[in-house]
Each structure stands twice: as structure tokens, then as C-alpha cells.
Amino acid sequence: MSVIVDPNAVQEMDEEWESEAATSGDTGLDEEEEDDGEPKICRVCGDRATGYHFNAMTCEGCKGFFRRAMKRSIHLSCPFQRSCVITKNNRRQCQACRLRKCLDIGMRKELIMTDEAVENRRALIRRKKQMRRVTVSAEVQTGLTSEHQLLIQELTQAQNQTFDRSFSHFHHFRPVERSPLRSCHSAESFDEYVPTSYGQIWRGGSGGSSPEDPYLTHCHQDPMDTMAPDSLHKSENSAERKVFCMLPHISDLSTYMIKGVISFAKVLAPFRELSIEDQIALLKGAAFELTQIRFNTLFNSTTGLWECGKLEYDINDASLAGFKALLLDPLLKFHYILKKLNLQNEEYSLMQAISLFSPDRPGVKHSERIDQLQEMCALALKSYIDTRRPQHEKKFLFPKIIRCLTELRSMNVEYCKQVVEIHDIQPDNSPLIMEVFSRGND
Amino acid sequence: MSVIVDPNAVQEMDEEWESEAATSGDTGLDEEEEDDGEPKICRVCGDRATGYHFNAMTCEGCKGFFRRAMKRSIHLSCPFQRSCVITKNNRRQCQACRLRKCLDIGMRKELIMTDEAVENRRALIRRKKQMRRVTVSAEVQTGLTSEHQLLIQELTQAQNQTFDRSFSHFHHFRPVERSPLRSCHSAESFDEYVPTSYGQIWRGGSGGSSPEDPYLTHCHQDPMDTMAPDSLHKSENSAERKVFCMLPHISDLSTYMIKGVISFAKVLAPFRELSIEDQIALLKGAAFELTQIRFNTLFNSTTGLWECGKLEYDINDASLAGFKALLLDPLLKFHYILKKLNLQNEEYSLMQAISLFSPDRPGVKHSERIDQLQEMCALALKSYIDTRRPQHEKKFLFPKIIRCLTELRSMNVEYCKQVVEIHDIQPDNSPLIMEVFSRGND
DNA sequence: GATGGTTCATTTAGTTCA
DNA sequence: TGAACTAAATGAACCATC
């Protein structure tokens, strides 16, 4: 039964039969005098129109309705007979017919801005607003453009808000356990995970370690010393002893730090404005790097310790958590080198931002925008250095920082790999860690 | 069905009038006092009114009463003279008269949300509540892994981007032509392609469905009724009349929908990463299924119509395009059954993805990867249902959806066959359709 | 000035529970 | 049953860009 039978059709003497057939109702009242000044009447509901909206003369109500209904993109069904006459007073009673009428009279959904366009617009407006707030004088005084100033301000603020230097939560972590461990694995499989060459490389090259090496004066036992002899025995008494004795604690520490950097990112307006998808991709890609940058601020290059309140860690703790020299060698080097640059909080924050806004992380969709952000951060860092650092530092500091970021990035891959490997042996890592690192980064 | 007589069509924009009668022919009541500040008095019982409810100024009591009474849909009878005067104090004494009064003053049952709509609303609220807690993927237990979350997000985004619900292109299709057709073909060839058994099967003939089958009680004309008598006459005046009068339009509609699902696939990153060869194989294999899944979102199971803006189609339209009961019977059944599941956008999108990534389509080269993708989509759907659906739905929804997909797949073959057969008789199909369907699928 | 989006008080669905 | 809720949709007034 060719269903589109419309009783109204008979009454319609308008030229365009079909465009009216389903909904008609405006009975040509507003049509005839279109000559010049259009009648300010909503073509959908007959209310007072406020101009053309999405290509049709409509009222504010129908304008908003059309935008919202199209964005919701769900199918609406008329509870009546699909032929409701839309009027000012009944327009809310049938969304389906109202929307159909909108389309009938030529409203076009292409004229609705996409979510992305809206986001860009919002970002633009926000930036301009802030820009306006910052006076030009400030720019003159600091030598930084107000845009850079604002950015740096936002970053350091985010950093301070989300980097807990009280270390008060560290007590909730699973306990520190540095004592010799007993393997449930065979000697060779264990060898695979704790490199024998570790000590040599660490201790500075050719000859073994000299006691005065700053980063070796600490209480780490070589796991091999105590463990190898036992490694073929099955664990007899100590059910809790793990192969990677520090893993539970280090895992909780990492998890905590990751939550911190996630908060850091989420506090940043330009980050929040990205799609959720991209936010996740960026965080997955940068989590390791950001935590290491933050750890660097806690690093004491004299003692080789990361000082976290009353707890402190050395590189061997990482090896006791199962990480191998292939990662730990360059990582420790990184910390010494970066520490030497003696960065300020602003610079650390900018570094984090540059790492975070890496447009080439796997899974990133809108890389252009992220690229912009990264570039802005880099420029801000450059300007900051130029204006705040003494002459002799200006020249090389920026490239050195960038170099550190590059090194960090190259460790990222290895880190992810080792996390997964470790987890296969001893699944002590938190779900968050596994989620963030369990797929390839880069 | 010219039953839909709309009094408003004749009446001009008479302010008071319109507020009352959207479509139904209810007595336009006298709204003498409504001028500006309406009296906040319940039109049913005289109690203090709280606003318009179901199209009438009523109190909270009558609002709730009306909803419940209409939903219960049982017959009420007055213990008195069927003429009780309803007041605030006696309103509970006679439900029958109270309800009658409600209807009299213009309360409309259509403005009560359907059970389906309510369910959707609940689901949406549930989803939003969960969403509120989500910051970054794993941070919070959404019950979905971030991988699944991302997948679902990508799919729904692709769906929204590529499924044009404005139906604005439908006007460019060749015209709808539902009138009786005249054959240019010889009787026998005609008979061959418009199955004589069609009507019987449809109407519940020998082998078939019983009349009370919900999906068979609908108003389709049997093409044979009008056509058979004429089938021996050659077309005398109408050169344009075709054997399959709806074919041109339906063909353009199908072509358009296929373009839509191709776009859907092409927007998906995991799809784009497949070899071009496999992309083509998958699309050829799934085009029919995807379009049908999309059509289901437009299907109104109350009316048996697919609602596409101001156009609407019923199953008979497909038969007027030459499709036969062997396809159309199970297809209509499929639409009723799937619709009943009341799926959300996310679930429809996942369904499409599962169908799309079928590793066993003819011509597929790298089936392992596709198998992976399909499995991931299936798992995502399962988790989605587990986390977003109420307890009682969790159990069977997933298998039911899979069952629908199986059914759809089995129709795929028959569809391809009929498309080719139809094209042999009346080559109105677009090249795209022929390209997609002209070789065996499965 | 024209026409996009934004804001937020208001309206009116459904929900809860005594 | 209905008073007191919650929340989505609405639209008037507004802001911003071109």
C-alpha cells in the first residue's frame, strides 16, 4: 500500500507538491509575498523567524532543534501518522515530523559545524580570550610572547598540581623487597632476564667497578650472588618470594607516577580539547617518558639515588624488578645527562609537554593539531631559555634537551618490551601499566 | 488509507487551535482563558496544576494517572452513571471517568513514551553515568578495555559520519513508481520472474506463514492482483512503465546505501590497512548485509515501514522491484526480529563490523588478520553488552545478534541471485550494484 | 549585519517511594 | 497514588567570526 498518501495533498495548491505533501500546514500563507523582504516567519513552524539558519528561514527554536537533532543522529519515529502539521505551539510534540519538515524546507546538515570544527573554534576563542587578558607590557618585560607565557604558566601550574612531592602515598605500595630472591625458573631462563654483563657495563667499562663510582655505592646486591646457587631449587619455604623481588613495589610506584602524568595531561586545556582517542594515544605513547622526566627531578646525581621522601631507589632496584641492561644502561645515562642541565621547573614542564604532544605516536588521528601544539611548546622552551638563561647556556641548552627527549624516546620501545616480558614471568604489574604499555609504542 | 484526516490542514494558523491538534481529530476545545498567564489549575480535577502534561494543563496526580492508565490499557468502567464530575477530592473514586476526562480535555497517549523509548532513555542514562567516571581508558573500570572502547568509538564515529539520515539525496533517485505495471515481456518470461507463489507465501499460503505472524499482517499489494490480468497485453500507451516498476528507484536507493557502507568501511583504520584486494572482497561480501543492518535502524516495526525522511517503503516495494518471496520472507522476518532487540547505535555499528570482517568471504587472501578483527569486534560487542545492558538482557542478547547475522548471511546468496535474475529481465540496476553482486558471494 | 555556536532557565518527560 | 525527585530537550538571549 503505497503508504505516502497525504490527505493534505489535496488542499495544497502550491507549486511544489511533494515538498509539502507530508507536512504541509503552512497553507501558503507565508509564501506568496516572498518578493523582496522575506516574511520573517519560520518555514518550519510559523513562529517568528530570526533569519536564515542552515539554509532556511527559521526561528531560534527550529534552528537549535535542527542542530541538536542532526548531531544526535538517531532515527526518530512519529508517534502519530507521520503527517503532523508543525506549528509554533505543537512543534515539540513530534520531533520526527519537525525534523522531516526541517529537511523538507531545505535545511542542510552540512552547514552544521563538525565536532572537530567546533573544537577548533572553541580553542581559538579561548586562546584569544587569554591573549587579551595578558597585557603587552608583560611581553616587553619578559621577552616572551604572551602566548608562550600563558602556556608556560599553564604547564607549570599543571605540573605543580599533579606532581605529588610529598610521597605520602608511597606507603600504600606493596613493600620494598630487596632481599635475595628464589627462582622458580630454571637457571638459564633466569639468566635470560638478569643479564650477567650488567655489573660490568654499569661499573664503568673495562675494569670492574671502582667503589667510588657515585651510582654504585649503594646497597644493591647482585641478584646473581645469592640467587644463582639456589636457582635450581624450588622455592621451599618462602612462598612470597618472587623472582623479581622489587617488581611489586616498582610496579605500584610506576602506576602511581603514571596516574600523575595522566592528571598532568588532563589538566591541560589544549590536551583536553583533543579527541579522547588522541588523548589516549598520546598518553600511552608518552607515559614512560613523562614519568622519567619527573623522576629526573628527584634524581641525585651525586648519590645516584632517586629520592622520594624517606624512600630512595637506585638503578639496581629496577633490575631487581626485572628490567635489563639494554634498558637500564641508557636510562641511567639519560638521568645523569639530563640532571646535569640543571633545568628549572618551567623547563621540565615544557619538556614533558613536548614529549606528550608527539604527533607521531601510534594511533594518533589528528596529528596536525598535535604537531602545532608540540611546535608551540618547543618554541616556548626556546624563548624561555633565550630570556632566562645566561649567555653561555643559551646556545646549547635547547638542543641538549631535545637530544634527551630523543634518547628517552628510543628507550620507550625497549621499556614496553621488557614490561611485557616481565609480566609474562611474574604478573605483578597493575592493569593500568599493562594497558598503557602492552601494545607497541612507536 | 486516507484516514489521516487532519483538520488543521484547512484551518489557518489559528493560535489557540494549533496548540491542540497536532494530528488527531480531537475536538478543538475552547481555550478561552489561556491568553497569557494560564490558570495553574488542573483541567481534569481542579487541583493545582504543574504545567502541561501530555498536552494538557494538569496536576501531578492526573499526569501520573494518565500515564499509568494508558499504559495498562485495560478497559475501565464507571460504577456510577459514566458522568462523574472529577474533583481534587473524588478523583480516585472513578478511574473510568477520570480517564475519560483526561482524554476529553485533550491529553494524548502518543505523548507517553513507548516502552522502547523509555528503555533507550534508561540505557543512555546508564551509559552517561558510567561515562562520567571515565577519564582515561583504564583509569576507571568501565568494564571495557581501552582497546574495546576505542574500537567502539571508532565504529560509531564511522557510522555517524557515513550514514546520512537526512535522506536528502533521495530526491535524485529515479522516481517511486508503485502503480500497476505492464509487461513488455512475453507472458512466460514474465511469469518466470514474478513468482505466482508469491502472494500465497506472503499471505500465509500452503507452506507459509500464518496470518497472525506480525511481519505478515501488512498491507502489501500482491503484484499479481493487478498485474496478472494484464500481463498478456503489451504496453500500449505507457512507454515508461516497467515490469518491475519500483526497480529504478530501489536500485538507486540500494546504490546509495552501498556507497554509504563502503564509506563506512573506508573510514575504519583497520579496514584501510588491509590489502586493496581484501578490502574489495570484504565489501562485496558484506554490502548486502551492512545495508540491511542500516535499514533496520530505519524500520518501524509497528507500521512495517522503513522510514527515510519523507519517503517510506514497505516490503511490497521490494517485490515491485522484482524480488521474490524466497528472499523477502526471511528478510522481513529478520527486520522484525532484529528490531525487537532494540539495539543501540554502538551495537548496530559493531554488528556491521562483525559482518564486514568476515574472514570467509570469497576472494579473501589474508583471512587470519580479518579473523582477528572479527573476533575483536565480537568480543567488544560481548563486553559492551555485559557492561551496558541490564542483567536480564545480558544473557541472550549477544547470541541473538549473532543469530541475526547468520540469518542475514544466508539471505546474501539468494539476494545476489535475484539481483542478477532481475537484471537479466530489466537492466535498471546501477553498475555499482552489478559489480558488487554479480558474482557469487559465499 | 548575517549566521554560526553557547548559555542557562524553563518545560515536561520519567522515576522513586511513602 | 502523587509529591518530590532527576534529567533531556528546548529556546531566548547571548557571543563570535566573517
Side-chain angles (χ1 to χ4, degrees):
Chain A
M1 125 134 295
S2 356
V3 212
I4 315 182
V5 176
D6 185 349
N8 296 330
V10 200
Q11 291 135 12
E12 291 314 314
M13 34 224 64
D14 295 19
E15 59 286 36
E16 353 132 79
W17 202 91
E18 337 119 49
S19 92
E20 290 307 315
T23 53
S24 73
D26 32 359
T27 62
L29 187 138
D30 48 319
E31 310 286 18
E32 57 272 35
E33 9 51 342
E34 295 271 325
D35 321 291
D36 43 359
E38 49 277 59
K40 289 279 201 177
I41 288 177
C42 175
R43 299 265 334 265
V44 177
C45 70
D47 195 2
R48 190 179 61 81
T50 59
Y52 281 90
H53 301 296
F54 310 105
N55 199 44
M57 177 64 67
T58 72
C59 64
E60 283 297 307
C62 291
K63 161 192 162 186
F65 170 77
F66 183 73
R67 186 194 318 101
R68 284 189 295 254
M70 290 315 265
K71 283 208 151 178
R72 257 179 294 148
S73 77
I74 48 162
H75 180 66
L76 299 169
S77 235
C78 173
F80 302 100
Q81 316 298 326
R82 282 176 52 76
S83 58
C84 302
V85 177
I86 308 297
T87 68
K88 170 172 165 37
N89 293 306
N90 73 8
R91 65 191 176 196
R92 297 189 234 184
Q93 304 194 338
C94 179
Q95 296 181 312
C97 289
R98 189 183 189 183
L99 182 57
R100 202 150 38 73
K101 181 81 182 277
C102 286
L103 291 164
D104 278 355
I105 63 154
M107 295 181 80
R108 290 177 34 214
K109 82 159 192 235
E110 303 83 62
L111 298 180
I112 300 172
M113 289 168 78
T114 63
D115 288 343
E116 200 183 346
V118 168
E119 258 326 309
N120 288 339
R121 182 175 178 275
R122 270 200 274 248
L124 192 75
I125 291 170
R126 201 165 313 128
R127 238 174 296 148
K128 287 207 172 167
K129 251 186 191 149
Q130 279 188 322
M131 200 75 94
R132 237 170 279 149
R133 243 183 287 144
V134 177
T135 57
V136 182
S137 62
E139 179 169 342
V140 175
Q141 283 166 15
T142 62
L144 287 173
T145 66
S146 56
E147 195 175 25
H148 287 165
Q149 231 179 39
L150 280 169
L151 176 63
I152 291 167
Q153 193 185 320
E154 182 167 15
L155 291 174
T156 49
Q157 200 174 314
Q159 178 84 323
N160 293 338
Q161 271 173 32
T162 64
F163 190 5
D164 172 26
R165 289 160 210 264
S166 75
F167 312 106
S168 51
H169 280 70
F170 283 36
H171 301 288
H172 304 144
F173 301 164
R174 280 167 288 176
V176 171
E177 175 57 271
R178 292 193 175 92
S179 55
L181 29 99
R182 293 165 197 281
S183 173
C184 298
H185 295 267
S186 67
E188 57 271 36
S189 91
F190 185 74
D191 272 352
E192 198 181 330
Y193 290 98
V194 176
T196 52
S197 63
Y198 181 78
Q200 288 147 37
I201 291 180
W202 254 164
R203 311 216 162 145
S206 55
S209 37
S210 50
E212 65 276 20
D213 272 10
Y215 47 87
L216 288 179
T217 54
H218 268 282
C219 56
H220 28 77
Q221 301 153 315
D222 188 332
M224 297 309 285
D225 296 347
T226 51
M227 198 183 45
D230 269 296
S231 63
L232 287 173
H233 308 172
K234 295 294 158 267
S235 58
E236 58 285 355
N237 59 351
S238 56
E240 300 83 3
R241 291 279 171 82
K242 309 271 189 132
V243 187
F244 304 132
C245 56
M246 274 297 279
L247 183 57
H249 184 83
I250 294 283
S251 166
D252 290 346
L253 171 60
S254 302
T255 305
Y256 185 73
M257 293 296 286
I258 289 167
K259 285 182 181 172
V261 300
I262 289 174
S263 302
F264 169 75
K266 296 291 263 186
V267 165
L268 301 175
F271 183 84
R272 278 201 310 272
E273 281 161 13
L274 301 174
S275 71
I276 292 287
E277 240 175 339
D278 281 352
Q279 291 184 25
I280 292 171
L282 292 190
L283 277 172
K284 282 190 170 192
F288 167 75
E289 301 177 18
L290 296 201
T291 54
Q292 290 307 318
I293 295 170
R294 284 190 161 187
F295 269 126
N296 192 254
T297 66
L298 308 174
F299 187 62
N300 181 332
S301 59
T302 311
T303 59
L305 296 171
W306 287 270
E307 301 170 346
C308 304
K310 56 179 148 180
L311 287 174
E312 42 190 31
Y313 308 93
D314 68 5
I315 192 69
N316 199 48
D317 290 331
S319 82
L320 290 175
F323 291 98
K324 294 185 293 183
L326 190 56
L327 169 68
L328 299 183
D329 283 350
L331 185 60
L332 189 56
K333 190 173 174 184
F334 159 84
H335 278 287
Y336 276 104
I337 292 174
L338 180 56
K339 195 69 190 185
K340 209 168 180 179
L341 301 184
N342 194 25
L343 300 190
Q344 296 162 16
N345 212 348
E346 288 79 0
E347 292 154 338
Y348 273 117
S349 305
L350 280 161
M351 236 184 124
Q352 289 178 197
I354 293 170
S355 164
L356 178 64
F357 294 121
S358 293
D360 51 348
R361 303 288 187 194
V364 161
K365 285 278 154 49
H366 304 97
S367 58
E368 331 71 41
R369 173 67 186 140
I370 296 163
D371 196 53
Q372 275 177 14
L373 289 170
Q374 193 184 43
E375 184 172 349
M376 199 205 292
C377 293
L379 288 173
L381 176 56
K382 216 163 156 30
S383 315
Y384 187 87
I385 291 169
D386 278 348
T387 58
R388 305 296 167 91
R389 291 282 190 165
Q391 198 57 45
H392 63 281
E393 289 178 353
K394 279 184 190 175
K395 204 165 174 186
F396 294 115
L397 188 53
F398 181 73
K400 279 179 182 168
I401 292 175
I402 298 301
R403 179 68 204 282
C404 282
L405 284 170
T406 312
E407 290 300 321
L408 203 45
R409 179 151 185 161
S410 72
M411 287 177 258
N412 203 342
V413 192
E414 183 60 27
Y415 176 78
C416 294
K417 212 176 107 198
Q418 294 196 16
V419 163
V420 173
E421 286 173 2
I422 290 168
H423 199 75
D424 284 343
I425 298 178
Q426 184 176 317
D428 272 330
N429 277 321
S430 70
L432 178 64
I433 291 190
M434 294 318 292
E435 178 161 354
V436 171
F437 298 117
S438 65
R439 24 159 276 166
N441 288 294
D442 296 280
Chain B
M1 110 142 327
S2 22
V3 204
I4 315 169
V5 178
D6 187 348
N8 290 336
V10 210
Q11 319 262 342
E12 306 313 325
M13 340 273 262
D14 181 338
E15 287 296 72
E16 299 91 16
W17 227 99
E18 293 154 19
S19 79
E20 280 315 305
T23 54
S24 57
D26 45 351
T27 61
L29 15 126
D30 41 323
E31 307 287 274
E32 63 280 20
E33 5 53 345
E34 299 275 318
D35 319 292
D36 42 358
E38 47 280 69
K40 287 277 198 180
I41 289 178
C42 176
R43 302 265 333 264
V44 177
C45 70
D47 195 1
R48 191 179 60 84
T50 60
Y52 283 92
H53 300 296
F54 310 104
N55 199 43
M57 178 63 67
T58 72
C59 64
E60 283 296 309
C62 292
K63 160 192 159 188
F65 169 77
F66 182 72
R67 187 195 320 101
R68 284 190 295 257
M70 291 313 268
K71 282 210 149 177
R72 261 181 288 143
S73 74
I74 50 163
H75 180 69
L76 300 168
S77 64
C78 174
F80 309 105
Q81 328 300 324
R82 294 182 27 85
S83 58
C84 306
V85 177
I86 308 297
T87 68
K88 172 172 165 35
N89 294 314
N90 75 1
R91 65 191 178 197
R92 303 175 195 211
Q93 325 244 301
C94 178
Q95 293 187 317
C97 288
R98 189 183 190 183
L99 184 56
R100 196 161 35 75
K101 182 80 181 281
C102 286
L103 291 165
D104 280 353
I105 63 155
M107 293 180 82
R108 297 245 191 75
K109 72 164 188 301
E110 290 88 347
L111 298 180
I112 299 171
M113 288 167 76
T114 62
D115 290 341
E116 187 189 332
V118 168
E119 196 33 65
N120 284 337
R121 184 173 172 277
R122 284 197 193 122
L124 193 73
I125 290 171
R126 217 174 306 129
R127 239 178 306 162
K128 289 215 169 156
K129 269 199 179 128
Q130 277 184 323
M131 209 61 100
R132 224 171 288 152
R133 268 178 287 146
V134 175
T135 49
V136 165
S137 56
E139 274 273 42
V140 182
Q141 302 311 333
T142 58
L144 288 176
T145 68
S146 66
E147 193 173 26
H148 287 168
Q149 267 184 39
L150 281 169
L151 175 65
I152 291 168
Q153 198 180 326
E154 180 167 15
L155 291 174
T156 48
Q157 203 174 310
Q159 177 85 322
N160 291 338
Q161 270 174 34
T162 64
F163 190 4
D164 174 24
R165 291 158 209 264
S166 74
F167 312 104
S168 50
H169 282 70
F170 282 38
H171 301 287
H172 305 142
F173 300 163
R174 282 168 284 173
V176 171
E177 174 57 89
R178 293 193 174 93
S179 53
L181 30 99
R182 294 163 197 284
S183 173
C184 299
H185 294 267
S186 69
E188 58 271 32
S189 90
F190 183 73
D191 273 351
E192 196 183 334
Y193 290 99
V194 176
T196 51
S197 65
Y198 180 78
Q200 288 148 34
I201 291 179
W202 252 166
R203 312 249 150 115
S206 57
S209 21
S210 49
E212 65 272 20
D213 276 7
Y215 47 93
L216 288 180
T217 53
H218 273 281
C219 53
H220 16 80
Q221 304 161 310
D222 190 333
M224 299 308 285
D225 291 350
T226 50
M227 200 181 47
D230 271 4
S231 63
L232 288 172
H233 307 174
K234 296 292 160 271
S235 58
E236 59 282 0
N237 59 351
S238 55
E240 301 84 3
R241 291 279 172 81
K242 309 270 190 135
V243 187
F244 304 131
C245 56
M246 274 298 278
L247 182 57
H249 184 84
I250 293 282
S251 165
D252 290 347
L253 170 61
S254 303
T255 305
Y256 183 73
M257 293 295 286
I258 289 168
K259 285 181 182 171
V261 300
I262 290 176
S263 302
F264 169 75
K266 296 289 248 186
V267 165
L268 302 175
F271 183 83
R272 278 200 312 271
E273 282 159 16
L274 301 173
S275 71
I276 293 288
E277 240 174 337
D278 280 354
Q279 289 184 26
I280 292 172
L282 291 191
L283 276 172
K284 283 190 172 193
F288 167 75
E289 301 176 17
L290 296 201
T291 53
Q292 290 307 319
I293 294 170
R294 284 191 163 188
F295 268 124
N296 191 253
T297 66
L298 308 174
F299 186 61
N300 182 331
S301 58
T302 310
T303 60
L305 297 171
W306 287 269
E307 300 172 347
C308 304
K310 63 177 148 185
L311 289 174
E312 45 192 15
Y313 308 94
D314 68 7
I315 193 68
N316 200 49
D317 290 330
S319 82
L320 291 174
F323 291 97
K324 294 184 289 183
L326 190 56
L327 169 68
L328 299 184
D329 282 348
L331 185 60
L332 189 55
K333 188 170 176 183
F334 159 83
H335 278 287
Y336 275 103
I337 291 175
L338 180 55
K339 193 72 189 184
K340 208 167 179 180
L341 301 184
N342 194 22
L343 299 191
Q344 295 161 18
N345 217 341
E346 289 80 357
E347 291 154 339
Y348 273 116
S349 305
L350 280 162
M351 236 186 124
Q352 289 179 196
I354 293 171
S355 165
L356 179 64
F357 294 121
S358 293
D360 51 347
R361 303 287 188 195
V364 161
K365 286 276 153 50
H366 305 94
S367 58
E368 331 72 40
R369 172 65 183 143
I370 295 163
D371 196 52
Q372 273 177 13
L373 290 170
Q374 191 184 43
E375 183 171 350
M376 198 206 294
C377 293
L379 287 173
L381 176 56
K382 215 162 157 30
S383 317
Y384 186 87
I385 291 170
D386 277 347
T387 58
R388 306 299 165 94
R389 290 283 192 164
Q391 198 56 43
H392 62 282
E393 291 177 352
K394 280 183 189 175
K395 202 162 175 189
F396 294 116
L397 189 53
F398 182 72
K400 278 178 182 168
I401 292 175
I402 298 302
R403 180 68 206 282
C404 282
L405 284 169
T406 313
E407 291 298 321
L408 203 45
R409 181 153 186 161
S410 72
M411 287 178 257
N412 205 341
V413 192
E414 182 60 26
Y415 176 78
C416 294
K417 209 176 112 200
Q418 294 196 17
V419 163
V420 173
E421 286 174 2
I422 289 169
H423 199 74
D424 284 344
I425 298 179
Q426 184 176 318
D428 271 330
N429 276 321
S430 69
L432 178 63
I433 290 190
M434 295 319 291
E435 179 176 342
V436 171
F437 298 117
S438 66
R439 24 158 277 166
N441 288 295
D442 294 280

